[in-house]
């Protein structure tokens, strides 16, 4: 059997979500093929060939593939399915993957499984539903099994040790051009917030703030705490909705799902939607002035207190302890 | 001088009166699929026989993301872009309540696709919506980005694929450009925002921050109870909604038990050391 992994990348580097997805694909015991579709993305292809557990890297290069648009990427994946007799197609359960893979599934007239957290066999998978309050085991009887992989549920594949063959996909240009003109989609621009801190979903430590932070300025405190451990900063939906921080920091059912070694929840009450995004963290520390806050029911270490006093103290104490 | 030029421009436009009028009078129809789900505030319970979650005697509501879609469509109507908003829902008769909720908010009409107890999955739903798109001919179909029961986040994208229409998922801002028959959508991506421009007809899925849905007025709720809904079945539409992804079991996730409460920052630090985190 053959599993195609559609890589998430920025035309220069692979994103780490791709590595988690490759690990999931390797659990099927089939050949893992990686599609790198982008614009001038050869440096991504070169790096991809070295990943352990990848047999072939397909390189699709076209100006209209630069931004990973569903309209132009989907026909490339469908074309590969027809040429390669794929049995599985996986991609990360990030906004990138969730955006295009259902479109591919519809074009192939098959279903798709979202947020796969474990692979029981080549056709049976588990995935969370109801914000992680239930886990469904599903069996796909479709000819090709399509799914998005929850990255926090799988380790990253090693970036060294592989030697995959590269295959140029020279048949894609007419398909991509046709898709772009028939759907009339135009990419206008993007505003991507560059941060010195690690990416939220891949960070070893995440410090998140909730409504209790009271303002966006107060998130500085959390940044200082995160920086003592090389961590990332996140937020609850309440904090994002209150306008304290931008939405890409949101941890939860409808935001990012994280599972770091250490998650520090500050001024977060712990709504189920938030817990869905962080409850698989290894160690959870909660700081909240309300002793009854539900976050304490999942926290390994809880401190009831005034966050404006506790957080600076904790930052200093960690600096000293190191 | 600039003003003169623009006057000239409009003089020439007047020659093309027919075309100009078509553009100005063209009124958009918006189709909004809505799903009935367990209310977001309800703590769900897994059935002891592991076949699913308990839905008997549980409060049901409109999927919150779909409510955002309805709100956006109504705002387009209020802004003069849209002339008609059609709400559609698939499921047993109880989903008519969900459709009426959309009508109470401001939708003009409702379509109920009666599917009885069939296991609805995104592909089957998308196939039904494709058929409706062909008969209703909407300019825009606006959906919630995901339903909070299955969390699938697939229907909008599948529908866009089946129709070969452009798609803008996870929308946080929508601007209609009537003159160009296009719509500009700002969408949430990992790490920030992206803007797409789509010629209509097009598909949009809504993210949380697009708008805040209104509460329906009591008077409108009363009126919506009497609204006549069009009822059809997938068979009427010639659509097969069966699917090949079978649920084997539904179980509770591994419970995470609360740990200890500490009294001081030092104790937090000691715990972090114990777990070798610092």
């Amino acid at each position: 059997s053959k599993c195609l992994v559609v890589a998430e990348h920025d035309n220069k580097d692979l994103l780490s979500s791709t590595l988690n997805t490759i690990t999931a694909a390797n659990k099927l015991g089939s050949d893992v093929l990686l599609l790198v579709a982008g614009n001038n993305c050869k440096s991504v292809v070169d790096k991809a060939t070295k990943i352990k557990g990848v047999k072939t890297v397909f390189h699709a290069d076209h100006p209209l593939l630069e931004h990973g648009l569903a309209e132009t990427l989907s026909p490339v994946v469908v074309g590969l399915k027809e040429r390669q007799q794929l049995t599985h197609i996986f991609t990360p359960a990030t906004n990138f993957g969730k955006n295009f893979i259902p479109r591919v599934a519809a074009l192939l007239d098959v279903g798709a499984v979202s947020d796969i957290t474990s692979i029981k066999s080549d056709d049976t998978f588990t995935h969370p539903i109801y914000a992680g309050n239930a886990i469904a085991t599903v069996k796909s009887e479709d000819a090709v099994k399509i799914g998005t992989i929850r990255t926090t549920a799988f380790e990253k594949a090693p970036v060294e040790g592989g030697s995959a063959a590269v295959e140029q996909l020279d048949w894609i240009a007419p398909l991509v051009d046709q898709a772009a003109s028939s759907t009339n989609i135009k990419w206008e621009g993007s505003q991507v917030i560059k941060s010195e801190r690690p990416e939220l979903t891949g960070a070893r430590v995440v410090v998140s703030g909730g409504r209790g932070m009271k303002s966006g300025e107060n998130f500085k405190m959390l940044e200082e705490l995160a920086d003592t451990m090389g961590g990332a900063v996140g937020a609850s939906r309440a904090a994002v909705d209150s306008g304290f921080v931008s939405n890409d920091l949101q941890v939860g059912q409808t935001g990012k799902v994280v599972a770091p070694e250490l998650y520090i929840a500050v001024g977060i009450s712990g709504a189920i939607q938030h817990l869905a995004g962080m409850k698989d963290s290894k160690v959870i520390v909660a700081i909240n002035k309300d002793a009854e806050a539900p976050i304490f029911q999942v926290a390994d270490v809880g401190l009831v207190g005034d966050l404006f006093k506790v957080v600076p103290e904790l930052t200093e104490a960690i600096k000293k302890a190191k | 001088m600039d003003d003169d030029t623009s006057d000239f421009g409009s003089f020439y436009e007047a020659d093309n009166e027919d075309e100009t009028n078509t553009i100005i009078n063209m009124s958009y129809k918006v189709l909004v699929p809505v799903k009935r789900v367990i209310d977001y505030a309800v703590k769900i319970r897994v059935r002891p026989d592991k076949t699913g979650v308990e839905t008997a005697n549980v409060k049901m509501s409109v999927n919150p993301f779909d409510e955002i879609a309805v709100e956006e469509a109504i705002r387009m109507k209020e802004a003069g872009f849209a002339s008609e908003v059609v709400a559609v829902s698939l499921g047993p008769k109880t989903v008519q309540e969900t459709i009426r909720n959309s009508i109470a908010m401001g939708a003009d009409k409702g379509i109920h696709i009666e599917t009885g107890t069939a296991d609805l999955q995104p592909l089957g739903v998308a196939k039904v919506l494709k058929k409706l798109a062909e008969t209703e001919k909407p300019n825009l179909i606006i959906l919630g980005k995901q339903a909070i029961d299955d969390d699938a986040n697939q229907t909008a994208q599948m529908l866009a694929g089946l129709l070969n229409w452009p798609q803008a998922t996870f929308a946080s801002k929508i601007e209609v450009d009537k003159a160009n028959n296009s719509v500009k959508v700002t969408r949430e991506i990992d790490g920030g925002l992206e803007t797409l421009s789509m010629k209509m007809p097009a598909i949009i899925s809504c993210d949380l921050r697009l708008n805040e849905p209104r509460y329906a007025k009591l008077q409108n709720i009363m009126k919506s109870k009497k609204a006549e809904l069009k009822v059809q079945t997938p068979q009427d539409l010639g659509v097969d909604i069966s699917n090949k992804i079978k649920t084997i079991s539904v179980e509770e996730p591994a419970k995470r038990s609360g740990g200890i409460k500490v009294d001081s920052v030092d104790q937090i630090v000691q715990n972090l050391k114990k777990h070798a985190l610092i």
Side-chain angles (χ1 to χ4, degrees), chain A residues 24-77:
Chain A
N26 271 306
K27 294 202 185 290
L28 295 164
S30 49
D31 289 346
V32 174
L33 317 171
L34 187 71
L35 170 63
V36 176
N39 184 28
N40 292 324
C41 57
K42 188 171 176 301
S43 65
V44 183
V45 173
D46 291 342
K47 286 168 195 161
T49 56
K50 302 193 184 81
I51 300 168
K52 209 169 171 183
V54 177
K55 190 169 179 243
T56 307
V57 177
F58 296 117
H59 180 193
D61 220 294
H62 191 289
L64 292 170
L65 290 173
E66 182 167 358
H67 305 293
L69 295 178
E71 291 81 351
T72 49
L73 178 55
S74 299
V76 175
V77 180

Side-chain angles (χ1 to χ4, degrees), chain A residues 13 29 34-36 49 81 140 173 224 240 242 251 279 289:
Chain A
D13 284 305
L34 187 71
L35 170 63
V36 176
T49 56
K81 149 75 177 60
S140 168
E224 284 163 15
V240 173
S242 303
V251 172
K279 67 182 169 56
K289 67 176 194 295

Side-chain angles (χ1 to χ4, degrees), chain A residues 43-185:
Chain A
S43 65
V44 183
V45 173
D46 291 342
K47 286 168 195 161
T49 56
K50 302 193 184 81
I51 300 168
K52 209 169 171 183
V54 177
K55 190 169 179 243
T56 307
V57 177
F58 296 117
H59 180 193
D61 220 294
H62 191 289
L64 292 170
L65 290 173
E66 182 167 358
H67 305 293
L69 295 178
E71 291 81 351
T72 49
L73 178 55
S74 299
V76 175
V77 180
V78 171
L80 262 178
K81 149 75 177 60
E82 285 157 2
R83 287 165 175 79
Q84 293 288 333
Q85 286 91 42
L86 302 173
T87 53
H88 297 78
I89 304 173
F90 285 174
T91 198
T94 55
N95 278 14
F96 160 77
K98 288 175 176 181
N99 180 54
F100 82 91
I101 209 80
R103 191 171 178 118
V104 170
L107 294 175
L108 295 172
D109 193 24
V110 298
V113 183
S114 297
D115 281 302
I116 294 174
T117 47
S118 76
I119 289 164
K120 299 278 178 199
S121 71
D122 64 354
D123 61 4
T124 306
F125 317 103
T126 65
H127 71 128
I129 53 176
Y130 290 95
N133 287 298
I135 307 294
T137 302
V138 297
K139 181 180 159 93
S140 168
E141 291 165 4
D142 279 315
V144 53
K145 283 96 177 138
I146 294 190
T148 57
I149 300 298
R150 178 164 286 193
T151 54
T152 55
F154 299 91
E155 301 290 319
K156 291 179 181 62
V159 292
E160 296 290 337
S163 56
V166 177
E167 194 179 318
Q168 299 293 332
L169 304 185
D170 46 18
W171 42 266
I172 59 147
L175 288 180
V176 171
D177 288 331
Q178 208 273 332
S181 66
S182 71
T183 59
N184 242 312
I185 185 81

